[in-house]
Each structure stands twice: as structure tokens, then as C-alpha cells.
Amino acid sequence: MATALIAAACTGAGEPRASERGNAAAVAGADDRARITGAGSTFAGSLIAEWITAYGRLAPGVDIRYEGTGSPGGVQSLVRGEVDFAVSDVPLSDDDVEALTDRGPPTQIPWVAGAIAIHYNLPGVEDLKLSPEVLAGIFSGRVSRWDDPLLRADNRDSALPGTEIQVVHRSDPSGTTQVLGEFLQSSAGPSWPLGVAPTLNWPGGIGARGSDGVAASVKRTVGAIGYADLASTEQSGLGVASVRNADGRFVPPTAETVGAALDVATLDEETLTFRLYFGPGVPRAYPISTFSYLVFRPGSVDAGEERALRHFAAWALSEGQRMAPIVGYAVVPLLFAIKALDRVQGFEDPDQARSPS
């Protein structure tokens, strides 16, 4: 059933369209009455906000509140029982799983896919190209001016100014920061000295909270560069860089190039988490692409609230995917969406809905 319903939501090219599956999920939740709270990823926040608005018209008795606190903050709020679900750009750690496994293992599914866009404020420069090594040099402070020879070598058609580079980074613990670090450590090697973590020991620059805060700071500062979800970047009107992938191509972030990258992610069947692939062989792939995961604890809220959350998740994985490219995200690859839907199905029976996933 899951295969047929999810497949109906997409064309063969992966572009979403109206489907019986999405309508069925919406009708199934139309009579729900529940208040659901969530927190976490600001990277996924723009799409989640659109989902909440759209789903509210289909299930008016379901009040969904979401706060973008950053991925680690959302997970910790779920551990403390302050929210009903969390959204994280990185999979749960073993310690997080242990802390959440009080009534059975937590459910963790990929439901948002998108690009970590590198945005910049350089008037007159419309097609900035960045290699992983140069990007690592910029964020680690070794490349400090826009007319550095390393930058000019990849941007011969652009008149790069002698302006000082102002790095804007996340000041709060962030899954987006961790994914960026994973990419740079894998792709830039020794050029990236800052490691991989939700919070990095930045050598300087401007700190800002949340993806939208980073975008706003870059917009206010000529010569600035930062990183955020593509939706926040596009809303700010900033320039968006093309990043060199492992095939040597400079690729911009789009729904199609993110989809190409995530199609070759490696799936862990048990945890439904993915290892990103930064190697060659996918010339159309935008290399800094990622999933965000929905996380909740089966049985931790009453049956009606859990049923409403599962209905919302199923809708987001199907009909809700139609909205992703409109607001700067990609469609979750079909195989992954099918497996994620299987993990949240069974909610028609309250007892089944409360059983561990």
C-alpha cells in the first residue's frame, strides 16, 4: 500500500503532483482533535511552517506549534518531555536514543530534503564558484579577502573586489553546522581544521542564531558569506554560490541537484538514517545536501495526539512533498519516503499507534 500511495504522489521524474494518497492522509486526519508541539531544525523550518499552514486547512482540529531552536535543542526538548516531536538535521546519537528509549525505541524518519546553500553579499558578483578547499579556507579564516588568488582562479569571469571577507556562522548548536563540517572534512581534507560538531571553534566572524539569523546578518554586511537552507537564502535575495562536487563540476543548489545527491545516500534499514555520499560518479549532484529527520517517542503522549502526529507525518511524506520545490527544498527520494511512510503507518488503530516503531 505504501509503495502505491507514495508513487502516486510523484511523476516518473520525481516531480510531485496531486495524489489520492495525499488526499487520503488528509481525510484520515480531518477529524483529529489534538495540540502537537515540536522543536528543532531551523534548516527545515520554512517547509515545516508551510506544511503546518496547509495541513491546518485540512485538519482544523489539529493545532501544531513548531519552534526553530536548532537540531540539538529540539532533541533535548524531546528528551525532557517538553515537546511531542523534534526535527534534527543529523541522526540521533547513541546517547540520544538511550535517553529517548523509555517506552520503546524512538521513531526517526527522514521527511525534509534540501541544500545547505552558501550565500554571499557581493554586489555585482552573480556567479560565485567555490571549491571545498577554498570554502574550508574561508570558514577557517585562512582566506580573508575576496580577491585572494585561490578565489580568482575559479572565478575568472567575475570581477572579485578586494573587500575583506566577513564570515557569518551559527552561534547556537546546529545540525546544519555539523553537516557543513562533515562535507568539508570529507571533501577538503587537511584544508579543514575545525572538525565536525554542532558547535565549532570558529576563529572569528559574526555569530547568528538560526538559519534565518545567518541570512539576515549576511544581508546586512557587504562582503559577508554564510550558510543556511536555500529557502532562507532565497527569501533574503542574497547571491548563492555554486560548489564544486567530486566530479569537478560547480553545481548550484536546486531541487534537482539536491535530489541527485540524496539518491545515492546510503540507507541504514534499521534506523532509517542515511550516510551522505561525497564521492565522484554523480556529476549533477549538489554536494552539500542533507535530510532532516522527524523524531518522536511512541507511547509518550495520549493515543489521540500520537494518531494526529502520525497522520500529519504521513501527509507530509506524501502530499506535503509537492510543496518542497516551491519553497526551496527537494522531494524526499521515493524509496526513502516509502520506508518512512511504512514506519508511521498503523495509526488507524490507537493501540497499534501506541506500539513502538
Side-chain angles (χ1 to χ4, degrees):
M1 177 180 175
T3 302
L5 293 176
I6 283 278
C10 299
T11 68
E15 291 299 323
R17 60 176 174 80
S19 69
E20 293 179 2
R21 186 224 176 278
N23 293 334
V27 170
D31 295 328
D32 289 341
R33 297 291 182 270
R35 180 175 182 180
I36 304 168
T37 59
S41 168
T42 63
F43 169 86
S46 296
L47 181 54
I48 293 172
E50 294 291 334
W51 280 347
I52 290 172
T53 299
Y55 193 72
R57 293 192 289 267
L58 302 170
V62 180
D63 180 12
I64 305 173
R65 307 288 177 91
Y66 181 76
E67 182 180 1
T69 60
S71 298
V75 172
Q76 290 308 305
S77 292
L78 184 64
V79 168
R80 293 190 295 266
E82 298 168 349
V83 295
D84 303 315
F85 70 93
V87 181
S88 176
D89 303 333
V90 294
L92 295 173
S93 67
D94 291 342
D95 288 344
D96 291 334
V97 171
E98 183 177 355
L100 290 167
T101 306
D102 51 352
R103 305 183 187 184
T107 295
Q108 176 175 235
I109 59 169
W111 70 335
V112 175
I116 297 176
I118 306 300
H119 51 224
Y120 60 93
N121 183 344
L122 280 180
V125 178
E126 298 181 354
D127 185 24
L128 183 66
K129 298 180 178 65
L130 295 170
S131 69
E133 295 80 10
V134 170
L135 191 57
I138 289 173
F139 282 117
S140 63
R142 296 192 314 278
V143 177
S144 60
R145 301 188 71 83
W146 282 108
D147 61 352
D148 186 286
L150 293 174
L151 273 161
R152 292 207 314 268
D154 290 328
N155 294 274
R156 299 184 186 280
D157 296 331
S158 296
L160 296 177
T163 310
E164 183 179 355
I165 297 174
Q166 297 288 339
V167 172
V168 181
H169 56 78
R170 291 284 290 273
S171 60
D172 52 328
S174 162
T176 307
T177 298
Q178 182 163 332
V179 174
L180 177 66
E182 290 174 355
F183 164 71
L184 291 174
Q185 181 167 275
S186 174
S187 302
S191 298
W192 179 243
L194 302 187
V196 178
T199 302
L200 298 177
N201 186 23
W202 301 101
I206 302 168
R209 292 188 63 84
S211 292
D212 52 351
V214 171
S217 292
V218 173
K219 187 170 184 177
R220 289 194 298 267
T221 310
V222 174
I225 187 171
Y227 58 95
D229 61 279
L230 185 58
S232 295
T233 298
E234 290 180 336
Q235 290 166 10
S236 67
L238 293 165
V240 181
S242 296
V243 179
R244 196 189 71 202
N245 63 20
D247 286 286
R249 301 193 181 189
F250 289 94
V251 180
T254 67
E256 293 74 22
T257 61
V258 171
L262 297 182
D263 275 340
V264 295
T266 302
L267 170 68
D268 182 312
E269 294 275 357
E270 181 179 355
T271 63
L272 271 195
T273 60
F274 302 87
R275 180 174 295 278
L276 302 176
Y277 176 68
F278 300 119
V282 194
R284 294 181 59 252
Y286 178 72
I288 324 178
S289 300
T290 189
F291 293 100
S292 282
Y293 299 88
L294 167 68
V295 184
F296 64 94
R297 309 158 83 173
S300 65
V301 296
D302 70 51
E305 290 175 341
E306 185 170 329
R307 183 166 51 245
L309 176 57
R310 289 177 180 261
H311 278 144
F312 174 57
W315 176 87
L317 283 162
S318 55
E319 190 73 3
Q321 294 298 310
R322 297 178 61 201
M323 305 171 68
I326 299 172
V327 290
Y329 295 84
V331 176
V332 172
L334 178 62
L335 174 63
F336 304 162
I338 290 169
K339 292 181 180 297
L341 180 65
D342 283 340
R343 197 63 63 93
V344 298
Q345 280 189 328
F347 47 72
E348 297 302 334
D349 182 339
D351 295 328
Q352 203 172 19
R354 293 174 63 82
S355 64
S357 295

